[in-house]
Amino acid sequence: MDSTAHYDSPLGGITLASDGNALVGLWFDGQKYFASVLQENAEEKALPVFDEAARWLDAYFSGSEPDFTPPLLLRGTPFRRAVWGALMAVPFGQTVTYGWLACRLGLPAAAARAVGGAVARNPVSLIVPCHRVIGADGRLTGYAGGEWRKAWLTGLEKQSKV
């Protein structure tokens, strides 16, 4: 059975979800695809993985690149999990395009739209850094948590890298 916890961030409330051992979800409250992989009977509960996730979020929102990753269990199709794995390779403070991600996965750049669909459905925002993906023209496009949050997050990372 899944469990949930709440985290108050500078960008609004965040809901965390876990299977009891690993983080399965991290969403800004009310974002697109909110709780998409969460079991219906989930209940709020204190878990060590939520403490680890909160420690990661505290470090991140202070402008530091966290030096650890809480245990993750990414629920999704093999294609989506491959895209999310590629996202984990995008360094703190850098951005890539959807086409770049497609090529990294051995797909033609024309697969960027399919990659974008998988990026949008990332169930563990921030830790799996979907906010680091931008449009081919350099614009901040499509972020399930809202483009204003994407701008804030990429700005935080760029400022922290200086």
Side-chain angles (χ1 to χ4, degrees):
M1 181 166 96
D2 287 346
S3 299
T4 61
H6 189 78
Y7 179 88
D8 290 318
S9 87
L11 300 176
I14 289 177
T15 296
L16 304 166
S18 172
D19 69 347
N21 298 305
L23 205 59
V24 299
L26 188 161
W27 305 275
F28 286 105
D29 293 344
Q31 80 172 48
K32 192 173 186 180
Y33 309 115
F34 178 82
S36 60
V37 299
L38 187 61
Q39 295 172 349
E40 288 185 29
N41 58 349
E43 58 186 45
E44 197 160 329
K45 184 177 182 181
L47 294 171
V49 71
F50 292 146
D51 295 336
E52 284 186 65
R55 196 166 51 92
W56 190 98
L57 290 164
D58 288 345
Y60 180 83
F61 284 119
S62 75
S64 299
E65 179 179 6
D67 60 358
F68 70 98
T69 302
L72 302 177
L73 175 64
L74 300 175
R75 294 175 176 164
T77 66
F79 176 74
R80 287 181 182 172
R81 288 194 316 268
V83 171
W84 302 333
L87 285 172
M88 295 294 289
V90 179
F92 183 90
Q94 295 183 22
T95 56
V96 299
T97 65
Y98 296 96
W100 181 92
L101 276 175
C103 291
R104 171 141 180 136
L105 293 166
L107 302 169
R113 188 173 294 282
V115 167
V119 169
R121 288 163 180 81
N122 169 20
V124 184
S125 293
L126 301 174
I127 296 173
V128 177
C130 53
H131 60 281
R132 296 180 187 152
V133 185
I134 60 174
D137 60 2
R139 288 183 316 147
L140 299 180
T141 59
Y143 183 62
E147 287 182 20
W148 68 273
R149 285 190 179 111
K150 187 173 193 169
W152 193 95
L153 295 167
T154 55
L156 171 72
E157 291 186 17
K158 286 184 191 316
Q159 179 181 359
S160 298
K161 290 290 284 189
V162 174

